[in-house]
Every structure is written in structure tokens, then in C-alpha cells.
Amino acid sequence: APDSQGGSRWFHEVARVGMALTVHGPDNRFELEENAAFTVLLAGGIGITPLFSMAARLNELGRPWVLHYTARRRQELAFENELRALAAEGRSGST
């Protein structure tokens, strides 16, 4: 991307087939507090991606949660059906 902050531009301009790359595991700076008495998840647009797995994990743990999720148009809601299913099977509030 021409307006990239480095990652994709570097791959297109510098990286070459056969080049050795040093990689590191993910760096979680947005950790779920699994022991919270109640979790409020807030998301907009594609920002739902990490919260989807958090809601699923909270269901696994039997922890209560609520999700507030918005997009410009209803058609732009990612994972809408899957999130409704998670809410129905867990201890959640409305989505």
C-alpha cells in the first residue's frame, strides 16, 4: 500500500524470494481479563475480529458478557449471525 507505515511496503520493495526473515510470535496488547465479574465488549466495523474470539472464550468459561457492535450499515456487520449464536448460547446481554 502506498500509504503503508512500513510493513506491506517493505515486503513489496525489499523482500525477495529465498530471503531469510526473522519473525516473532504475536504480541498481545489487548488481553482479555478472563476473571472479570462482567465483560463489556465494544466494537465498530472490522474491529469486531478480536472481540469475536473473546466472546467465544467467555462462553467457554461461563463468564457473563455484553457486546455493543456498530457499523455504518447493517450489511457491513461482520459475523452477525455467528455473534447472535454466541450470545444465545452464552451468558451474554444483547448484541
Side-chain angles (χ1 to χ4, degrees):
D3 59 347
S4 166
Q5 293 183 6
S8 65
R9 184 180 337 168
W10 184 89
F11 268 98
H12 287 279
E13 295 176 1
V14 179
R16 298 290 175 254
V17 173
M19 180 183 276
L21 303 175
T22 301
V23 297
H24 303 279
D27 184 12
N28 186 1
R29 296 184 186 194
F30 188 50
E31 191 170 341
L32 175 64
E33 177 53 61
E34 294 184 345
N35 295 318
F38 186 81
T39 300
V40 177
L41 303 169
L42 304 171
I46 198 62
I48 190 64
T49 305
L51 301 185
F52 180 89
S53 61
M54 289 180 178
R57 177 65 178 154
L58 290 167
N59 276 2
E60 288 175 4
L61 297 170
R63 308 298 298 176
W65 58 275
V66 65
L67 170 68
H68 299 279
Y69 176 37
T70 188
R72 288 188 187 124
R73 291 178 291 280
R74 186 174 193 116
Q75 308 90 282
E76 295 176 354
L77 292 173
F79 309 116
E80 182 179 9
N81 293 334
E82 295 89 341
L83 288 165
R84 288 190 185 282
L86 276 176
E89 70 188 43
R91 296 178 56 198
S92 74
S94 59
T95 59

Coordinates of all heavy atoms in Angstrom, one line a residue:
A1 N 0.9 -1.2 0.0 CA 0.0 0.0 0.0 C 0.9 1.2 0.0 O 1.8 1.3 0.8 CB -0.9 0.0 1.2
P2 N 0.6 2.2 -0.9 CA 1.5 3.4 -1.0 C 1.5 4.2 0.3 O 2.5 4.8 0.7 CB 0.8 4.2 -2.1 CG 0.0 3.2 -2.9 CD -0.4 2.1 -1.9
D3 N 0.4 4.1 1.1 CA 0.4 4.9 2.4 C 0.8 4.0 3.6 O 0.5 4.3 4.7 CB -1.0 5.5 2.6 CG -2.1 4.5 2.6 OD1 -1.9 3.3 2.2 OD2 -3.2 4.9 3.0
S4 N 1.4 2.9 3.3 CA 1.8 1.9 4.4 C 2.7 2.6 5.4 O 3.5 3.4 5.0 CB 2.5 0.7 3.7 OG 3.1 0.0 4.7
Q5 N 2.7 2.1 6.6 CA 3.6 2.6 7.6 C 4.8 1.7 7.6 O 5.6 1.8 8.6 CB 2.9 2.7 8.9 CG 1.8 3.7 9.0 CD 1.2 3.9 10.4 OE1 1.7 3.3 11.3 NE2 0.2 4.7 10.4
G6 N 5.0 0.9 6.7 CA 6.2 0.1 6.6 C 6.1 -1.3 6.2 O 6.9 -1.8 5.4
G7 N 5.1 -2.0 6.8 CA 5.0 -3.5 6.6 C 4.8 -3.9 5.2 O 5.7 -4.6 4.6
S8 N 3.7 -3.6 4.6 CA 3.5 -4.1 3.3 C 4.4 -3.4 2.2 O 4.8 -4.1 1.3 CB 2.0 -3.8 2.9 OG 1.7 -2.5 2.8
R9 N 4.8 -2.2 2.4 CA 5.7 -1.5 1.5 C 7.0 -2.3 1.5 O 7.7 -2.5 0.5 CB 5.9 -0.1 1.9 CG 6.8 0.6 0.9 CD 7.0 2.1 1.1 NE 6.0 2.7 2.0 CZ 6.1 3.9 2.5 NH1 7.2 4.6 2.4 NH2 5.1 4.3 3.3
W10 N 7.5 -2.6 2.7 CA 8.8 -3.3 2.8 C 8.8 -4.6 2.1 O 9.7 -5.0 1.4 CB 9.2 -3.5 4.3 CG 10.5 -4.2 4.5 CD1 11.7 -3.5 4.6 CD2 10.8 -5.6 4.5 NE1 12.7 -4.4 4.7 CE2 12.2 -5.7 4.7 CE3 10.0 -6.7 4.4 CZ2 12.8 -6.9 4.7 CZ3 10.7 -7.9 4.5 CH2 12.0 -8.0 4.6
F11 N 7.7 -5.4 2.2 CA 7.6 -6.7 1.6 C 7.6 -6.5 0.0 O 8.2 -7.3 -0.7 CB 6.3 -7.4 2.0 CG 6.6 -8.4 3.1 CD1 6.3 -8.0 4.4 CD2 7.2 -9.6 2.9 CE1 6.6 -8.8 5.5 CE2 7.4 -10.5 4.0 CZ 7.1 -10.1 5.3
H12 N 7.0 -5.5 -0.5 CA 7.0 -5.3 -1.9 C 8.3 -4.7 -2.5 O 8.7 -5.0 -3.6 CB 5.8 -4.3 -2.3 CG 4.5 -5.0 -2.2 ND1 4.0 -5.9 -3.1 CD2 3.5 -5.0 -1.2 CE1 2.8 -6.4 -2.8 NE2 2.5 -5.9 -1.6
E13 N 8.9 -3.9 -1.7 CA 10.1 -3.2 -2.2 C 11.4 -3.9 -1.8 O 12.4 -3.7 -2.5 CB 10.1 -1.7 -1.7 CG 9.0 -0.9 -2.3 CD 9.0 0.5 -1.7 OE1 9.9 0.9 -0.9 OE2 8.1 1.3 -2.1
V14 N 11.5 -4.6 -0.7 CA 12.7 -5.1 -0.2 C 12.8 -6.6 -0.2 O 13.8 -7.2 -0.6 CB 13.0 -4.6 1.2 CG1 14.3 -5.1 1.7 CG2 13.1 -3.0 1.2
A15 N 11.7 -7.3 0.3 CA 11.7 -8.7 0.4 C 11.9 -9.4 -0.9 O 11.3 -9.0 -1.9 CB 10.5 -9.2 1.1
R16 N 12.6 -10.5 -0.9 CA 12.9 -11.3 -2.1 C 12.7 -12.8 -1.8 O 13.0 -13.2 -0.7 CB 14.3 -11.0 -2.7 CG 14.5 -9.6 -3.1 CD 13.7 -9.3 -4.4 NE 13.9 -7.9 -4.7 CZ 12.9 -6.9 -4.5 NH1 11.8 -7.3 -4.0 NH2 13.1 -5.7 -4.9
V17 N 12.3 -13.5 -2.8 CA 12.2 -15.0 -2.7 C 13.5 -15.5 -2.2 O 14.6 -15.2 -2.7 CB 11.8 -15.6 -4.0 CG1 11.9 -17.2 -3.9 CG2 10.4 -15.2 -4.4
G18 N 13.5 -16.4 -1.1 CA 14.7 -17.0 -0.6 C 15.3 -16.2 0.5 O 16.3 -16.7 1.2
M19 N 14.9 -15.0 0.7 CA 15.5 -14.1 1.8 C 15.1 -14.7 3.2 O 13.9 -15.1 3.4 CB 14.9 -12.7 1.7 CG 15.4 -11.7 2.7 SD 14.7 -10.1 2.5 CE 15.7 -9.4 1.3
A20 N 16.0 -14.8 4.1 CA 15.8 -15.2 5.4 C 15.2 -14.1 6.2 O 15.7 -13.0 6.2 CB 17.1 -15.7 6.1
L21 N 14.1 -14.4 6.9 CA 13.4 -13.4 7.7 C 13.4 -13.8 9.2 O 13.2 -15.0 9.5 CB 11.9 -13.2 7.2 CG 11.7 -12.8 5.8 CD1 10.3 -12.8 5.4 CD2 12.4 -11.5 5.5
T22 N 13.5 -12.9 10.1 CA 13.4 -13.2 11.5 C 12.0 -12.8 11.9 O 11.6 -11.6 11.7 CB 14.4 -12.3 12.3 OG1 15.7 -12.7 11.9 CG2 14.3 -12.6 13.8
V23 N 11.2 -13.7 12.5 CA 9.9 -13.4 12.9 C 9.7 -13.7 14.4 O 10.5 -14.5 14.9 CB 8.8 -14.2 12.1 CG1 8.9 -13.8 10.6 CG2 9.1 -15.7 12.2
H24 N 8.8 -13.1 15.0 CA 8.4 -13.3 16.4 C 7.0 -13.6 16.5 O 6.2 -13.3 15.6 CB 8.7 -12.0 17.2 CG 10.1 -11.5 17.1 ND1 11.2 -12.1 17.8 CD2 10.7 -10.6 16.3 CE1 12.3 -11.5 17.5 NE2 12.0 -10.6 16.6
G25 N 6.6 -14.3 17.6 CA 5.2 -14.6 17.8 C 4.4 -13.4 18.1 O 4.9 -12.3 18.1
P26 N 3.1 -13.5 18.1 CA 2.2 -12.4 18.3 C 2.5 -11.7 19.7 O 2.9 -12.3 20.6 CB 0.8 -13.0 18.3 CG 1.0 -14.4 18.4 CD 2.4 -14.8 18.1
D27 N 2.2 -10.4 19.7 CA 2.4 -9.6 20.9 C 1.0 -9.1 21.3 O 0.5 -8.2 20.7 CB 3.3 -8.4 20.5 CG 3.6 -7.5 21.7 OD1 3.4 -7.9 22.9 OD2 4.2 -6.4 21.5
N28 N 0.5 -9.7 22.3 CA -0.9 -9.4 22.8 C -0.9 -8.1 23.6 O -0.5 -8.2 24.8 CB -1.4 -10.6 23.6 CG -2.9 -10.3 23.9 OD1 -3.5 -9.3 23.6 ND2 -3.5 -11.3 24.6
R29 N -1.4 -7.1 23.1 CA -1.5 -5.8 23.8 C -3.0 -5.5 24.1 O -3.4 -4.4 24.4 CB -0.9 -4.7 23.1 CG 0.6 -4.9 23.0 CD 1.3 -3.8 22.3 NE 2.7 -4.1 22.1 CZ 3.6 -3.2 21.8 NH1 3.3 -2.0 21.6 NH2 4.9 -3.6 21.6
F30 N -3.8 -6.5 23.9 CA -5.3 -6.3 24.0 C -5.8 -7.6 24.6 O -6.6 -8.3 24.1 CB -5.9 -6.1 22.6 CG -7.3 -5.7 22.6 CD1 -7.8 -4.7 23.4 CD2 -8.2 -6.4 21.8 CE1 -9.1 -4.3 23.4 CE2 -9.5 -6.0 21.7 CZ -10.0 -5.0 22.5
E31 N -5.4 -7.9 25.9 CA -5.7 -9.1 26.5 C -7.0 -9.2 27.2 O -7.4 -8.2 27.8 CB -4.6 -9.4 27.6 CG -4.6 -10.8 28.1 CD -3.4 -11.1 29.0 OE1 -2.4 -10.4 28.8 OE2 -3.5 -12.0 29.8
L32 N -7.7 -10.3 27.1 CA -9.0 -10.5 27.7 C -8.8 -10.8 29.2 O -7.9 -11.6 29.6 CB -9.7 -11.7 27.1 CG -11.0 -12.1 27.7 CD1 -12.1 -11.0 27.6 CD2 -11.5 -13.4 27.1
E33 N -9.5 -10.1 30.1 CA -9.5 -10.3 31.5 C -10.5 -11.4 31.8 O -11.7 -11.2 31.9 CB -9.8 -9.1 32.3 CG -9.8 -9.3 33.8 CD -8.6 -10.0 34.4 OE1 -7.5 -9.4 34.3 OE2 -8.8 -11.1 35.0
E34 N -10.0 -12.7 31.8 CA -10.9 -13.8 31.9 C -11.6 -13.9 33.3 O -12.6 -14.6 33.4 CB -10.1 -15.1 31.7 CG -9.7 -15.2 30.2 CD -9.0 -16.5 29.9 OE1 -8.6 -17.3 30.8 OE2 -8.8 -16.8 28.7
N35 N -11.1 -13.3 34.3 CA -11.7 -13.4 35.6 C -12.6 -12.2 36.0 O -13.1 -12.1 37.1 CB -10.7 -13.5 36.7 CG -9.9 -14.8 36.5 OD1 -10.5 -15.9 36.3 ND2 -8.6 -14.8 36.6
A36 N -12.9 -11.3 35.0 CA -13.8 -10.2 35.3 C -15.2 -10.6 35.7 O -15.7 -11.6 35.2 CB -13.8 -9.3 34.1
A37 N -15.8 -9.9 36.6 CA -17.2 -10.3 37.0 C -18.1 -10.1 35.9 O -19.1 -10.9 35.8 CB -17.6 -9.4 38.2
F38 N -17.9 -9.2 35.0 CA -18.7 -8.9 33.8 C -17.9 -8.2 32.8 O -17.1 -7.3 33.1 CB -20.0 -8.1 34.2 CG -20.9 -7.9 33.1 CD1 -21.9 -8.9 32.9 CD2 -20.9 -6.7 32.3 CE1 -22.8 -8.7 31.8 CE2 -21.9 -6.6 31.3 CZ -22.8 -7.6 31.1
T39 N -18.0 -8.6 31.5 CA -17.2 -8.0 30.5 C -18.1 -7.3 29.5 O -19.1 -7.8 29.0 CB -16.4 -9.1 29.7 OG1 -15.5 -9.7 30.7 CG2 -15.5 -8.5 28.6
V40 N -17.7 -6.0 29.2 CA -18.3 -5.2 28.2 C -17.4 -5.2 27.0 O -16.3 -4.7 27.1 CB -18.7 -3.8 28.7 CG1 -19.3 -3.0 27.6 CG2 -19.6 -3.9 29.9
L41 N -17.8 -5.6 25.8 CA -17.1 -5.6 24.6 C -17.6 -4.5 23.7 O -18.8 -4.5 23.4 CB -17.1 -7.0 23.9 CG -16.6 -8.2 24.8 CD1 -17.0 -9.5 24.1 CD2 -15.2 -8.1 25.0
L42 N -16.8 -3.6 23.2 CA -17.2 -2.6 22.3 C -16.5 -2.7 21.0 O -15.2 -2.8 21.0 CB -16.9 -1.2 22.9 CG -17.4 -0.9 24.3 CD1 -16.8 0.4 24.8 CD2 -18.9 -0.8 24.2
A43 N -17.2 -2.7 19.8 CA -16.5 -2.8 18.5 C -17.3 -2.0 17.5 O -18.5 -1.8 17.6 CB -16.5 -4.3 18.1
G44 N -16.5 -1.6 16.5 CA -17.0 -0.9 15.3 C -16.4 -1.5 14.1 O -15.2 -1.7 14.0
G45 N -17.3 -1.8 13.1 CA -16.8 -2.4 11.8 C -16.0 -3.6 12.0 O -16.3 -4.5 12.8
I46 N -14.8 -3.7 11.3 CA -14.0 -4.9 11.3 C -13.3 -5.0 12.6 O -12.7 -6.1 12.9 CB -13.0 -4.9 10.1 CG1 -12.4 -6.3 9.9 CG2 -11.9 -3.8 10.3 CD1 -13.5 -7.3 9.5
G47 N -13.4 -4.0 13.5 CA -12.8 -4.1 14.9 C -13.4 -5.2 15.7 O -12.9 -5.6 16.8
I48 N -14.4 -5.9 15.1 CA -15.1 -7.0 15.8 C -14.2 -8.2 15.9 O -14.4 -9.1 16.7 CB -16.4 -7.3 15.2 CG1 -17.2 -8.3 16.0 CG2 -16.2 -7.9 13.8 CD1 -17.7 -7.8 17.4
T49 N -13.2 -8.3 15.0 CA -12.5 -9.5 14.8 C -11.9 -10.1 16.1 O -12.1 -11.2 16.5 CB -11.4 -9.4 13.7 OG1 -12.0 -8.9 12.5 CG2 -10.6 -10.6 13.5
P50 N -11.1 -9.3 16.9 CA -10.6 -9.9 18.1 C -11.7 -10.1 19.2 O -11.6 -11.0 20.0 CB -9.5 -8.9 18.6 CG -9.9 -7.6 18.0 CD -10.6 -8.0 16.7
L51 N -12.7 -9.3 19.1 CA -13.8 -9.4 20.2 C -14.6 -10.7 19.9 O -15.2 -11.2 20.9 CB -14.6 -8.2 20.2 CG -13.8 -6.9 20.5 CD1 -14.8 -5.7 20.6 CD2 -13.0 -7.0 21.7
F52 N -14.7 -11.1 18.7 CA -15.4 -12.4 18.4 C -14.9 -13.5 19.2 O -15.6 -14.3 19.8 CB -15.4 -12.6 16.9 CG -16.1 -13.8 16.4 CD1 -17.5 -13.8 16.1 CD2 -15.5 -15.1 16.4 CE1 -18.1 -14.9 15.7 CE2 -16.1 -16.2 15.9 CZ -17.5 -16.1 15.6
S53 N -13.5 -13.7 19.1 CA -12.9 -14.8 19.8 C -13.0 -14.6 21.3 O -13.0 -15.5 22.1 CB -11.5 -15.0 19.4 OG -10.7 -13.8 19.6
M54 N -13.0 -13.3 21.8 CA -13.1 -13.0 23.2 C -14.5 -13.5 23.7 O -14.6 -14.1 24.8 CB -12.9 -11.6 23.5 CG -11.4 -11.1 23.4 SD -11.3 -9.3 23.7 CE -9.6 -9.1 23.5
A55 N -15.5 -13.2 23.0 CA -16.9 -13.6 23.3 C -16.9 -15.1 23.4 O -17.5 -15.7 24.3 CB -17.9 -13.0 22.4
A56 N -16.4 -15.8 22.4 CA -16.4 -17.2 22.4 C -15.6 -17.8 23.6 O -16.1 -18.7 24.3 CB -15.7 -17.8 21.1
R57 N -14.5 -17.2 24.0 CA -13.7 -17.6 25.2 C -14.5 -17.4 26.4 O -14.6 -18.3 27.3 CB -12.4 -16.9 25.2 CG -11.6 -17.2 26.4 CD -11.1 -18.7 26.5 NE -10.3 -18.9 27.6 CZ -10.2 -20.1 28.2 NH1 -10.8 -21.1 27.7 NH2 -9.4 -20.2 29.3
L58 N -15.2 -16.3 26.5 CA -16.0 -16.0 27.7 C -17.1 -17.0 27.8 O -17.5 -17.5 28.9 CB -16.6 -14.6 27.7 CG -15.5 -13.5 27.9 CD1 -16.1 -12.1 27.5 CD2 -15.0 -13.5 29.3
N59 N -17.7 -17.5 26.7 CA -18.7 -18.5 26.7 C -18.1 -19.8 27.3 O -18.7 -20.5 28.1 CB -19.3 -18.8 25.4 CG -20.4 -17.8 25.0 OD1 -20.8 -16.9 25.8 ND2 -21.0 -18.0 23.8
E60 N -16.9 -20.2 26.8 CA -16.2 -21.4 27.3 C -16.1 -21.4 28.8 O -16.2 -22.4 29.4 CB -14.9 -21.5 26.6 CG -14.9 -21.9 25.2 CD -13.5 -21.9 24.6 OE1 -12.5 -21.7 25.3 OE2 -13.4 -22.1 23.3
L61 N -15.8 -20.2 29.3 CA -15.5 -20.0 30.7 C -16.8 -19.9 31.6 O -16.7 -19.9 32.8 CB -14.6 -18.8 31.0 CG -13.2 -18.9 30.4 CD1 -12.5 -17.5 30.5 CD2 -12.4 -20.0 31.1
G62 N -17.9 -19.7 30.9 CA -19.2 -19.4 31.6 C -19.2 -18.1 32.2 O -20.0 -17.9 33.2
R63 N -18.5 -17.1 31.6 CA -18.5 -15.8 32.2 C -19.5 -14.9 31.5 O -19.7 -15.0 30.3 CB -17.1 -15.1 32.0 CG -15.9 -16.0 32.5 CD -15.9 -16.2 34.0 NE -15.8 -15.0 34.7 CZ -15.9 -14.9 36.0 NH1 -16.1 -16.0 36.7 NH2 -15.8 -13.8 36.6
P64 N -20.1 -13.9 32.2 CA -21.1 -13.1 31.6 C -20.4 -11.9 30.8 O -19.4 -11.4 31.2 CB -21.9 -12.5 32.8 CG -20.9 -12.6 33.9 CD -20.0 -13.8 33.7
W65 N -21.1 -11.6 29.7 CA -20.6 -10.5 28.8 C -21.7 -9.9 28.0 O -22.8 -10.4 27.9 CB -19.5 -11.1 27.9 CG -20.0 -12.2 27.0 CD1 -20.0 -13.5 27.3 CD2 -20.5 -12.1 25.7 NE1 -20.5 -14.2 26.2 CE2 -20.9 -13.4 25.2 CE3 -20.8 -11.0 24.8 CZ2 -21.4 -13.6 24.0 CZ3 -21.3 -11.3 23.5 CH2 -21.6 -12.6 23.1
V66 N -21.4 -8.7 27.5 CA -22.3 -8.0 26.6 C -21.5 -7.4 25.5 O -20.3 -7.0 25.8 CB -23.2 -6.9 27.3 CG1 -22.3 -5.8 27.9 CG2 -24.3 -6.4 26.4
L67 N -22.0 -7.3 24.3 CA -21.3 -6.8 23.2 C -22.1 -5.6 22.6 O -23.3 -5.8 22.4 CB -21.1 -7.9 22.1 CG -20.6 -7.4 20.7 CD1 -19.2 -6.9 20.8 CD2 -20.8 -8.5 19.7
H68 N -21.4 -4.5 22.4 CA -22.0 -3.4 21.7 C -21.2 -3.2 20.4 O -20.0 -3.0 20.4 CB -21.9 -2.1 22.5 CG -22.7 -2.2 23.8 ND1 -24.0 -2.0 23.9 CD2 -22.2 -2.5 25.0 CE1 -24.4 -2.2 25.1 NE2 -23.3 -2.5 25.9
Y69 N -21.9 -3.4 19.2 CA -21.2 -3.5 18.0 C -22.0 -2.7 16.9 O -23.2 -2.8 16.8 CB -21.1 -5.0 17.5 CG -20.6 -5.3 16.2 CD1 -19.5 -4.6 15.7 CD2 -21.1 -6.3 15.4 CE1 -19.0 -4.9 14.4 CE2 -20.6 -6.6 14.2 CZ -19.5 -5.9 13.7 OH -19.0 -6.2 12.5
T70 N -21.3 -1.8 16.2 CA -21.9 -1.0 15.2 C -21.1 -0.9 13.9 O -19.9 -1.2 13.9 CB -22.1 0.4 15.8 OG1 -22.9 1.2 14.9 CG2 -20.8 1.1 16.0
A71 N -21.8 -0.5 12.9 CA -21.2 -0.3 11.6 C -22.1 0.7 10.9 O -23.2 1.1 11.4 CB -21.2 -1.6 10.7
R72 N -21.6 1.3 9.8 CA -22.4 2.3 9.1 C -23.7 1.8 8.6 O -24.7 2.5 8.7 CB -21.6 2.8 7.9 CG -20.4 3.7 8.3 CD -19.8 4.4 7.1 NE -18.6 5.0 7.5 CZ -17.4 4.8 7.0 NH1 -17.2 4.0 6.0 NH2 -16.4 5.5 7.5
R73 N -23.7 0.6 8.1 CA -24.9 -0.1 7.6 C -25.0 -1.5 8.1 O -24.0 -2.1 8.3 CB -24.9 0.0 6.1 CG -25.1 1.4 5.5 CD -25.1 1.3 4.0 NE -23.8 1.0 3.4 CZ -22.8 1.9 3.3 NH1 -22.9 3.1 3.7 NH2 -21.6 1.5 2.8
R74 N -26.2 -2.0 8.3 CA -26.4 -3.3 8.8 C -25.7 -4.4 8.0 O -25.1 -5.3 8.5 CB -27.8 -3.7 8.9 CG -28.0 -5.0 9.6 CD -29.5 -5.3 9.8 NE -29.6 -6.4 10.7 CZ -30.1 -6.4 12.0 NH1 -30.6 -5.3 12.4 NH2 -30.1 -7.4 12.7
Q75 N -25.6 -4.2 6.6 CA -25.0 -5.1 5.7 C -23.5 -5.2 6.0 O -22.8 -6.1 5.5 CB -25.2 -4.7 4.3 CG -26.6 -4.4 3.8 CD -27.0 -3.0 4.0 OE1 -27.3 -2.6 5.2 NE2 -27.1 -2.2 3.0
E76 N -22.9 -4.2 6.7 CA -21.5 -4.2 6.9 C -21.1 -4.9 8.2 O -19.9 -4.9 8.6 CB -21.0 -2.8 6.9 CG -21.1 -2.1 5.6 CD -20.7 -0.6 5.6 OE1 -20.4 -0.1 6.7 OE2 -20.6 0.0 4.5
L77 N -22.1 -5.4 9.0 CA -21.8 -6.1 10.2 C -21.1 -7.4 9.9 O -21.8 -8.3 9.3 CB -23.0 -6.3 11.0 CG -23.7 -5.0 11.6 CD1 -25.0 -5.4 12.3 CD2 -22.7 -4.4 12.6
A78 N -19.9 -7.6 10.3 CA -19.2 -8.9 10.1 C -19.6 -9.9 11.2 O -19.8 -9.5 12.3 CB -17.7 -8.7 10.1
F79 N -19.8 -11.1 10.8 CA -20.1 -12.2 11.8 C -21.4 -12.0 12.5 O -21.6 -12.5 13.6 CB -18.9 -12.3 12.8 CG -17.6 -12.4 12.3 CD1 -16.6 -11.4 12.6 CD2 -17.2 -13.5 11.5 CE1 -15.3 -11.5 12.1 CE2 -15.9 -13.6 11.0 CZ -15.0 -12.6 11.3
E80 N -22.3 -11.3 11.9 CA -23.6 -11.0 12.6 C -24.3 -12.3 13.1 O -24.7 -12.4 14.3 CB -24.5 -10.2 11.7 CG -25.8 -9.8 12.5 CD -26.8 -9.0 11.7 OE1 -26.6 -8.8 10.5 OE2 -27.8 -8.6 12.3
N81 N -24.5 -13.2 12.2 CA -25.2 -14.5 12.6 C -24.4 -15.3 13.6 O -25.0 -15.8 14.6 CB -25.5 -15.3 11.4 CG -26.5 -14.7 10.4 OD1 -27.3 -13.9 10.9 ND2 -26.4 -15.0 9.2
E82 N -23.1 -15.3 13.5 CA -22.2 -16.1 14.4 C -22.3 -15.4 15.8 O -22.3 -16.1 16.8 CB -20.8 -16.1 13.9 CG -20.7 -16.9 12.6 CD -20.8 -16.1 11.3 OE1 -21.4 -15.0 11.4 OE2 -20.4 -16.6 10.3
L83 N -22.3 -14.1 15.8 CA -22.3 -13.4 17.1 C -23.7 -13.6 17.8 O -23.7 -13.7 19.0 CB -22.0 -11.9 16.9 CG -20.6 -11.5 16.5 CD1 -20.5 -10.1 16.0 CD2 -19.7 -11.7 17.7
R84 N -24.7 -13.6 17.0 CA -26.0 -13.8 17.6 C -26.1 -15.2 18.2 O -26.6 -15.5 19.3 CB -27.1 -13.7 16.6 CG -27.4 -12.2 16.2 CD -28.6 -12.0 15.4 NE -28.7 -10.6 15.0 CZ -29.1 -9.6 15.7 NH1 -29.4 -9.9 17.0 NH2 -29.2 -8.4 15.3
A85 N -25.5 -16.2 17.5 CA -25.4 -17.6 18.1 C -24.6 -17.6 19.4 O -25.0 -18.3 20.3 CB -24.8 -18.5 17.0
L86 N -23.4 -16.9 19.4 CA -22.6 -16.9 20.6 C -23.4 -16.3 21.8 O -23.4 -16.7 22.9 CB -21.4 -16.0 20.4 CG -20.2 -16.7 19.8 CD1 -19.1 -15.6 19.5 CD2 -19.7 -17.8 20.6
A87 N -24.2 -15.2 21.5 CA -25.0 -14.5 22.5 C -26.0 -15.5 23.0 O -26.3 -15.5 24.2 CB -25.6 -13.2 22.0
A88 N -26.6 -16.2 22.1 CA -27.7 -17.1 22.5 C -27.2 -18.3 23.4 O -27.9 -18.7 24.3 CB -28.4 -17.7 21.3
E89 N -26.0 -18.8 23.1 CA -25.5 -19.9 23.8 C -24.8 -19.5 25.1 O -24.5 -20.4 26.0 CB -24.6 -20.8 23.0 CG -23.3 -20.2 22.6 CD -22.5 -21.0 21.6 OE1 -23.1 -21.5 20.6 OE2 -21.3 -21.1 21.7
G90 N -24.4 -18.3 25.3 CA -23.6 -17.8 26.4 C -24.4 -17.1 27.4 O -25.7 -17.0 27.4
R91 N -23.7 -16.5 28.4 CA -24.4 -15.7 29.4 C -24.3 -14.2 29.1 O -23.8 -13.4 29.8 CB -23.7 -16.0 30.8 CG -23.8 -17.4 31.2 CD -23.1 -17.6 32.5 NE -23.5 -16.7 33.5 CZ -22.9 -16.4 34.7 NH1 -21.7 -17.0 34.9 NH2 -23.3 -15.6 35.5
S92 N -24.7 -13.9 27.9 CA -24.5 -12.5 27.4 C -25.7 -11.7 27.5 O -26.8 -12.1 27.7 CB -24.0 -12.5 25.9 OG -25.2 -12.8 25.1
G93 N -25.5 -10.4 27.3 CA -26.6 -9.4 27.1 C -26.8 -9.4 25.7 O -26.4 -10.2 24.9
S94 N -27.5 -8.4 25.2 CA -27.9 -8.3 23.8 C -26.7 -7.8 22.9 O -25.8 -7.2 23.4 CB -29.0 -7.4 23.6 OG -28.7 -6.1 24.0
T95 N -26.7 -8.2 21.6 CA -25.7 -7.7 20.7 C -26.2 -6.6 19.8 O -27.4 -6.4 19.7 CB -25.1 -8.9 19.8 OG1 -26.2 -9.4 19.1 CG2 -24.5 -9.9 20.6

